[in-house]
Amino acid sequence: MNTTEKFIEEINMGYQSKGDSILLGGAILNGQAINNAHIKIPLKTLNRHGLIAGATGTGKTKTIQVLSEQLSSFGIPVLMMDIKGDFSGIAKAGEEKPFITERHQKINIPYQSASFPVELLSLSEQSGVRLRATVSEFGPVLFSRILDLNDTQAGVVAIIFKYCDDNKMPLLDLKDFKKVINFITEEGKEEITESYGKISTSTTGIILRKIIELEQQSGELFFGEMSFDIDDLMRIDENGKGYVNILRLNDIQDKPKLFSTFMLSLLAEIYQQMPEKGDVDQPELVIFIDEAHLIFKEASKALLEQIETIVKLIRSKGIGIYFITQNPMDVPSGILAQLGLKIQHALRAFTANDRQAIKQTADNYPSSEFYNTSELLTSLGIGEALVTALSEKGIPTPLAATMLRAPMSRMDVLTESEIQEINSKSKLVKKYSENIDRESAYEMLNKKITTIEEENTKKEETENKTTSNQPSASEVVGKSVLKVLTSATFIRGAFGILSKFMKK
């Protein structure tokens, strides 16, 4: 058996699948695509999470498009966090061009164009389905971690949540939370101290500054009602295709705090609400997080621990999470160890640090007798990648340089008119378009403060009235002096003392 035959046997054994699978492309050996060695990823392993990495312009977005298209075709919904704004073309059918035909002939996979059902979501004021969540839904622990608070400050946040729960005051948005902070340090200070203990104003001041920092990154747009229902991410269209939900984030690239806040909120809610699925034949939802380094770069240690914990646990709910970044070293090692599928596009080596990063990246992949991984990482072409996955038995597959198939949908963005067309037909846009501002802690505390002020005013008026009906201090003194001076006893006593004094 020659080297090529041995390679084909290893690939076909490693990437075979008895159940449904995603077809990524054809394996490459010595720079040439092998048309009878296909790279298949079993659907049942796609809740084991993954990584898609590579330098700018190497084809990461098209790889996500290929994955999302096939997931949708199997009736699996997708959530794509689109930082760069270049993913929306999946809503329209692609066009076969000569370079696509040539590529598919090399890997022996027929090309077929198709479009997929899309919902456009937004955290900001961009058009689309508005995503919101209430402060109450975060809870004190998660909210404290987002704000990067220490244990003492987190304890005060817990008291604020408890006080609002005890008094049936909904915490819906950031102005609610700020109002409670102001109240417990001013008008309600005695009430809080009596029921929950003394709270330092310096501590509440720090928390307030953290809230303002979140507001400066447009946090007020995210917190509020109506809250987004995660069931709306799980929809299937009339043709049995899963919806591809595209969260448009291209206008908040400079607001990583808002991005990480939303992501952690979403993952936590999905974990809490989704039932345990165990070993399923296919995932319930697959989430792609583009430019993942934006999350990890700004995240505190506590926040990273929270993300790592959720990533470990959420796969039992049938949820797959895929991180997209330029350098795999951007992903913390604790999370990287949880990722079953790794698709590594080319890396560029311009500096000594780049070469060191490439060596570290190569060490994270299975060794192969067919490849020099470090060298291959810098020589992969556009639309080519190193792939390793998990087999249906959970065993890592052999490392395979892969020529990826082309997307079936448009490899370009939607026009503004096409975006408007999708939004105009969307039931979710109408459902979440209204910004509800019902009575919550802010309004309830304003009423309470007004009542306190009115009671204090009445009390002052009563005290003033009582004082005005009594003789003044000068009148009291005058009457007392007159009474004393006209007292015979006093006169006799006074003269007696004086006479004794004069005799001396």
Side-chain angles (χ1 to χ4, degrees):
M1 184 183 294
N2 62 35
T3 302
T4 301
E5 290 173 340
K6 186 178 180 182
F7 173 77
I8 292 171
E9 182 180 36
E10 179 177 296
I11 293 298
N12 288 335
M13 285 290 292
Y15 289 92
Q16 66 179 338
S17 177
K18 294 179 181 178
D20 290 329
S21 61
I22 284 178
L23 178 56
L24 281 182
I28 298 171
L29 181 64
N30 299 323
Q32 300 296 318
I34 309 297
N35 65 13
N36 54 349
H38 290 155
I39 306 303
K40 299 177 181 178
I41 312 299
L43 286 184
K44 68 181 302 178
T45 67
L46 289 178
N47 66 332
R48 302 296 183 91
H49 314 316
L51 171 74
I52 301 167
T56 300
T58 55
K60 297 190 298 296
T61 301
K62 302 302 177 284
T63 299
I64 305 164
Q65 204 166 334
V66 166
L67 290 168
S68 298
E69 290 171 347
Q70 294 184 68
L71 288 166
S72 176
S73 296
F74 282 111
I76 302 169
V78 169
L79 172 61
M80 168 60 180
M81 300 188 189
D82 186 13
I83 291 284
K84 299 186 293 294
D86 55 359
F87 189 74
S88 59
I90 196 171
K92 298 294 181 180
E95 178 183 351
E96 185 169 359
K97 298 181 179 180
F99 75 90
I100 293 177
T101 303
E102 182 183 356
R103 173 178 288 257
H104 278 252
Q105 286 174 345
K106 287 179 179 179
I107 57 180
N108 194 25
I109 298 174
Y111 180 79
Q112 181 180 359
S113 65
S115 61
F116 298 86
V118 162
E119 282 286 359
L120 300 173
L121 316 178
S122 174
L123 281 177
S124 63
E125 294 178 332
Q126 281 193 110
S127 60
V129 181
R130 283 294 304 276
L131 301 188
R132 298 184 184 90
T134 66
V135 174
S136 293
E137 288 168 334
F138 272 70
V141 175
L142 189 55
F143 196 67
S144 297
R145 289 186 176 178
I146 286 166
L147 297 177
D148 193 18
L149 303 178
N150 62 29
D151 290 344
T152 301
Q153 295 152 5
V156 172
V157 170
I159 289 174
I160 290 173
F161 273 79
K162 182 69 167 61
Y163 174 76
C164 290
D165 287 343
D166 292 346
N167 291 274
K168 295 180 172 55
M169 293 181 180
L171 283 170
L172 303 181
D173 50 30
L174 294 181
K175 77 174 188 297
D176 284 332
F177 200 87
K178 289 198 301 181
K179 190 66 180 181
V180 180
I181 292 177
N182 290 330
F183 178 76
I184 66 175
T185 55
E186 295 176 11
E187 296 88 352
K189 187 175 182 178
E190 292 183 7
E191 178 187 351
I192 292 293
T193 301
E194 183 179 340
S195 301
Y196 305 95
K198 190 174 181 180
I199 294 176
S200 167
T201 53
S202 62
T203 300
T204 56
I206 292 171
I207 297 171
L208 192 57
R209 287 195 292 274
K210 295 283 187 177
I211 295 290
I212 292 171
E213 178 186 332
L214 188 56
E215 281 183 323
Q216 288 174 339
Q217 295 208 15
S218 303
E220 76 281 357
L221 294 175
F222 174 62
F223 288 98
E225 290 188 310
M226 59 180 311
S227 297
F228 186 78
D229 186 348
I230 62 166
D231 287 342
D232 286 328
L233 293 175
M234 311 292 184
R235 297 186 305 142
I236 310 296
D237 78 350
E238 64 276 7
N239 298 314
K241 291 182 177 180
Y243 266 86
V244 179
N245 303 281
I246 302 174
L247 178 55
R248 304 168 69 200
L249 297 168
N250 53 299
D251 62 335
I252 64 166
Q253 293 185 39
D254 59 340
K255 299 169 184 174
K257 193 79 172 178
L258 179 59
F259 182 26
S260 58
T261 296
F262 163 74
M263 194 207 74
L264 190 54
S265 162
L266 178 74
L267 296 182
E269 187 175 359
I270 288 174
Y271 176 73
Q272 290 168 5
Q273 293 193 21
M274 292 289 289
E276 290 286 335
K277 294 292 182 179
D279 191 17
V280 293
D281 290 333
Q282 64 180 47
E284 297 290 311
L285 174 72
V286 172
I287 302 172
F288 293 98
I289 303 173
D290 198 8
E291 302 293 339
H293 65 277
L294 292 177
I295 298 171
F296 302 122
K297 182 180 178 181
E298 297 293 327
S300 64
K301 182 181 178 182
L303 192 57
L304 285 175
E305 289 174 353
Q306 186 77 17
I307 294 172
E308 184 176 336
T309 299
I310 290 176
V311 169
K312 286 179 181 178
L313 299 176
I314 204 169
R315 67 185 182 193
S316 66
K317 308 283 186 168
I319 309 299
I321 302 173
Y322 289 76
F323 299 98
I324 300 98
T325 188
Q326 292 188 25
N327 191 323
M329 297 299 105
D330 294 333
V331 180
S333 57
I335 293 176
L336 201 60
Q338 305 297 317
L339 309 181
L341 173 63
K342 294 175 184 175
I343 301 175
Q344 177 66 59
H345 288 266
L347 292 174
R348 306 293 181 231
F350 298 110
T351 66
N353 287 338
D354 291 339
R355 289 189 289 274
Q356 181 63 29
I358 289 171
K359 185 179 183 305
Q360 289 178 319
T361 300
D363 291 341
N364 284 324
Y365 286 88
S367 58
S368 171
E369 62 177 291
F370 303 104
Y371 303 118
N372 182 323
T373 307
S374 294
E375 290 182 5
L376 191 57
L377 280 172
T378 60
S379 60
L380 290 167
I382 296 173
E384 297 177 355
L386 285 175
V387 176
T388 181
L390 294 176
S391 70
E392 289 177 326
K393 296 181 180 180
I395 302 170
T397 61
L399 186 65
T402 305
M403 180 176 287
L404 298 159
R405 62 186 296 177
M408 294 180 278
S409 55
R410 183 194 292 176
M411 291 192 283
D412 199 358
V413 298
L414 297 177
T415 64
E416 192 59 38
S417 61
E418 289 171 334
I419 289 173
Q420 290 175 5
E421 181 185 2
I422 290 174
N423 288 332
S424 66
K425 295 178 179 178
S426 169
K427 295 179 181 178
L428 296 188
V429 168
K430 298 179 179 67
K431 178 179 178 180
Y432 292 104
S433 61
E434 185 180 0
N435 188 7
I436 301 171
D437 190 13
R438 64 184 171 96
E439 186 176 65
S440 54
Y442 180 84
E443 290 80 11
M444 295 171 78
L445 284 175
N446 275 336
K447 289 181 180 178
K448 189 169 185 175
I449 291 170
T450 300
T451 302
I452 291 172
E453 290 174 348
E454 289 174 351
E455 289 175 352
N456 289 339
T457 300
K458 288 180 181 178
K459 186 177 179 181
E460 289 177 5
E461 289 175 350
T462 302
E463 290 175 351
N464 290 337
K465 186 175 180 182
T466 302
T467 303
S468 64
N469 291 333
Q470 294 177 350
S472 65
S474 59
E475 290 175 334
V476 171
V477 172
K479 290 179 180 178
S480 299
V481 171
L482 182 61
K483 184 176 180 181
V484 171
L485 290 176
T486 55
S487 169
T489 304
F490 172 79
I491 294 173
R492 285 195 299 271
F495 273 100
I497 294 171
L498 285 172
S499 62
K500 291 180 182 179
F501 180 78
M502 291 176 69
K503 286 179 181 179
K504 290 180 181 181

